[in-house]
Amino acid sequence: MNKSWWKILAIVLVLFSIIGGFLFHVPAKPILNESIRNIHFHVPMWFAMITMLAVSFVYSIKYLNKGNENDDLMAVESANVGIVFGILGLITGMIWANFTWGEPWSNDPKQNSSAIALLIYMAYLVLRNSMDEEQKRGKISSVYNVFAFPIMVVLLFVLPRMTDSLHPGNGGNPGFNTKDMAPELRPVFYPACLGWILVSLWITNLRFRIRKQENLNS
Amino acid sequence: MTLIHQIKFLIRKEIMLEWRSRYALNGILLYVVSTVFVCYLSFREISNPPTWNALFWIIMLFASVNAITKSFMQESRGRQLYYYTIAGPHAIIISKIIYNVLLMLLLSIIALGFYSLVFKNPVGDPLFYMLAVVLGSISFASVFTMISGIASKAGNGGALMAILSFPVVIPLLLVLIKLSKNALDGLDRAVSYDEIAILLAINVIVITTSLLLFPYLWRD
């Protein structure tokens, strides 16, 4: 029981963010209108993805240093979960963009960058699957993972800030900035982010344990 | 042997090996020239400068992937073991990167020359465009060298190289296209300092991570 407090916290936070996200009062802004509620679902997906990819990066470094097979499993499972959350982030973003910017794919730098980031991690999975021998596979894919992560950080956090973007915080968006996000959104937004990050950690943990069990059986 | 001595020695070896056969060099030069010619025959003329710029970088991208894929794959396992006994991993990766930078510089200058010959050159600030091309060669060489090492260790060449390198190189390509577009339009040079700084920063990151990671990749 005392070990599962964070899982309970995750459920509570996500449930709260779903209820709060749909029911609480939101500021009425032109163009955004009620679609601003999506911020409680779209943005946390990206936070969860970045967290999981960072976890994957850390475990890859650990694997390269120590050579413990479990670290490699953790790295690949967190990358898997990161990709799933990235795809969810893209989908929620595209639905939102369809209503506010007029089309699902609006050639926005952040949108393009996140699609490329997903490509990098899919390439990581392809690289893993191209090898059979476990140690070699773990080592080479960890090297690629560690090599690609800093470039992905530049891609996601530096490049979009250099050009105009439809996303807030970069260019002319009529609604809001990350800096002056409406105060009534914050009590739902922050718990939503934390909740989804915890959920992603939980899923990774489960997948890691399943994978470890499979390895033991085979 | 000290590190610098080893690096010098290895670069000399790469150049000598290449000069003896001239197979890879001639092959890749022919590749660039025929790609440009194919583009010329299919486009005939490009009236839109951004298209001119984008097409040039796409040709460069494919040519450099092809040129650098070879850098680890052409060497047999036995020869790699031999290098392991005479030089450290840092010397090997640095020498490969420097050699590939030289190769890419040669390649891109020839490509740019031939490209401007067949398609009329609309560049407003040629000197600055050259700087973009030089920075591009360095960046491509540094990224692709490490990826080619990874792909060759994974044991199946060409296809994996493209899959692994394209997403990683796209950020560089975006900045390069923007920088060269500024030069193309003949904008004030101060406008592009941001892009140059970003390119140099990415290169520093890539080369340091290569240096840190290559020893792990090398060890079997």
Side-chain angles (χ1 to χ4, degrees):
Chain A
M1 188 61 198
N2 50 4
K3 261 190 179 175
S4 55
W5 62 270
W6 61 277
K7 295 173 187 168
I8 297 168
L9 182 67
I11 298 175
V12 170
L13 288 177
V14 168
L15 276 180
F16 168 74
S17 77
I18 291 173
I19 296 169
F22 280 117
L23 296 181
F24 286 4
H25 173 256
V26 292
K29 297 274 179 184
I31 299 179
L32 281 166
N33 295 324
E34 290 289 315
S35 79
I36 196 162
R37 295 182 190 278
N38 198 5
I39 200 167
H40 306 308
F41 304 97
H42 170 62
V43 184
M45 295 298 137
W46 293 114
F47 278 112
M49 179 192 87
I50 288 295
T51 315
M52 290 334 292
L53 297 184
V55 168
S56 175
F57 174 68
V58 170
Y59 274 94
S60 280
I61 293 177
K62 259 183 153 174
Y63 179 76
L64 285 177
N65 275 331
K66 301 251 175 66
N68 183 351
E69 198 192 328
N70 287 338
D71 290 339
D72 182 47
L73 283 183
M74 192 65 192
V76 66
E77 286 309 337
S78 43
N80 271 333
V81 176
I83 289 175
V84 170
F85 274 89
I87 292 171
L88 288 176
L90 268 188
I91 293 173
T92 49
M94 273 154 68
I95 296 171
W96 199 359
N98 199 18
F99 288 106
T100 49
W101 305 340
E103 50 191 347
W105 204 273
S106 341
N107 197 23
D108 178 74
K110 270 196 178 163
Q111 218 170 14
N112 290 338
S113 296
S114 46
I116 298 164
L118 285 180
L119 281 183
I120 293 181
Y121 280 88
M122 286 174 180
Y124 165 73
L125 295 183
V126 169
L127 176 67
R128 276 188 72 85
N129 289 336
S130 74
M131 290 171 281
D132 291 327
E133 195 193 322
E134 272 163 24
Q135 283 192 334
K136 186 179 163 194
R137 180 173 70 191
K139 195 174 64 179
I140 294 174
S141 55
S142 299
V143 167
Y144 182 70
N145 193 2
V146 177
F147 185 69
F149 185 78
I151 298 180
M152 193 205 67
V153 169
V154 173
L155 182 72
L156 286 183
F157 297 104
V158 182
L159 295 188
R161 280 170 177 62
M162 292 179 65
T163 43
D164 283 344
S165 167
L166 295 162
H167 275 91
N170 310 65
N173 195 40
F176 54 86
N177 265 304
T178 27
K179 286 195 194 85
D180 51 24
M181 182 177 170
E184 57 261 62
L185 290 175
R186 287 167 202 256
V188 183
F189 179 67
Y190 295 134
C193 292
L194 184 62
W196 283 108
I197 288 173
L198 289 177
V199 166
S200 66
L201 281 171
W202 189 2
I203 297 174
T204 308
N205 198 334
L206 287 175
R207 299 230 6 145
F208 166 68
R209 278 156 56 195
I210 293 171
R211 198 52 107 76
K212 212 165 82 177
Q213 226 21 262
E214 281 173 359
N215 270 14
L216 284 180
N217 291 342
S218 62
Chain B
M1 283 199 289
T2 60
L3 186 67
I4 295 176
H5 195 80
Q6 285 178 355
I7 293 170
K8 265 191 209 154
F9 180 78
L10 285 169
I11 294 175
R12 229 190 46 215
K13 173 226 74 171
E14 294 271 355
I15 293 173
M16 245 164 70
L17 273 183
E18 187 51 59
W19 193 248
R20 255 184 228 156
S21 69
R22 265 165 285 178
Y23 158 71
L25 189 67
N26 287 340
I28 202 68
L29 290 181
L30 200 59
Y31 181 91
V32 173
V33 171
S34 42
T35 314
V36 172
F37 204 62
V38 166
C39 289
Y40 169 66
L41 291 179
S42 24
F43 279 93
R44 288 292 168 179
E45 58 169 350
I46 300 175
S47 47
N48 182 5
T51 314
W52 187 91
N53 190 27
L55 185 64
F56 175 70
W57 284 110
I58 291 171
I59 293 172
M60 282 310 298
L61 176 69
F62 280 89
S64 51
V65 168
N66 270 294
I68 298 177
T69 307
K70 290 194 188 69
S71 67
F72 280 95
M73 286 175 196
Q74 68 179 3
E75 279 164 347
S76 66
R77 219 184 130 69
R79 209 197 279 169
Q80 292 198 350
L81 276 176
Y82 174 60
Y83 297 149
Y84 195 23
T85 58
I86 57 168
H90 287 150
I92 289 173
I93 186 75
I94 293 174
S95 68
K96 290 266 187 203
I97 290 177
I98 293 176
Y99 172 72
N100 282 332
V101 167
L102 296 175
L103 182 69
M104 282 304 301
L105 281 175
L106 182 71
L107 186 69
S108 50
I109 288 167
I110 290 172
L112 184 62
F114 192 64
Y115 190 69
S116 328
L117 187 74
V118 289
F119 293 111
K120 210 167 49 194
N121 186 340
V123 174
D125 189 347
L127 216 63
F128 212 56
Y129 199 87
M130 268 317 288
L131 177 71
V133 170
V134 168
L135 281 174
S137 321
I138 297 171
S139 322
F140 282 169
S142 60
V143 171
F144 288 148
T145 306
M146 186 62 190
I147 301 270
S148 120
I150 295 173
S152 81
K153 280 280 171 188
N156 59 6
L160 204 54
M161 176 77 188
I163 296 170
L164 294 181
S165 57
F166 282 179
V168 175
V169 91
I170 288 174
L172 282 165
L173 202 63
L174 290 176
V175 184
L176 278 171
I177 288 182
K178 201 158 168 230
L179 172 64
S180 52
K181 175 77 173 35
N182 288 350
L184 190 74
D185 295 340
L187 297 185
D188 186 34
R189 289 182 184 183
V191 177
S192 315
Y193 288 159
D194 273 1
E195 273 81 25
I196 294 177
I198 282 275
L199 272 179
L200 291 177
I202 296 181
N203 270 308
V204 169
I205 294 172
V206 165
I207 292 173
T208 23
T209 41
S210 302
L211 281 179
L212 288 174
L213 289 173
F214 192 71
Y216 293 102
L217 196 65
W218 187 244
R219 234 183 277 146
D220 253 336

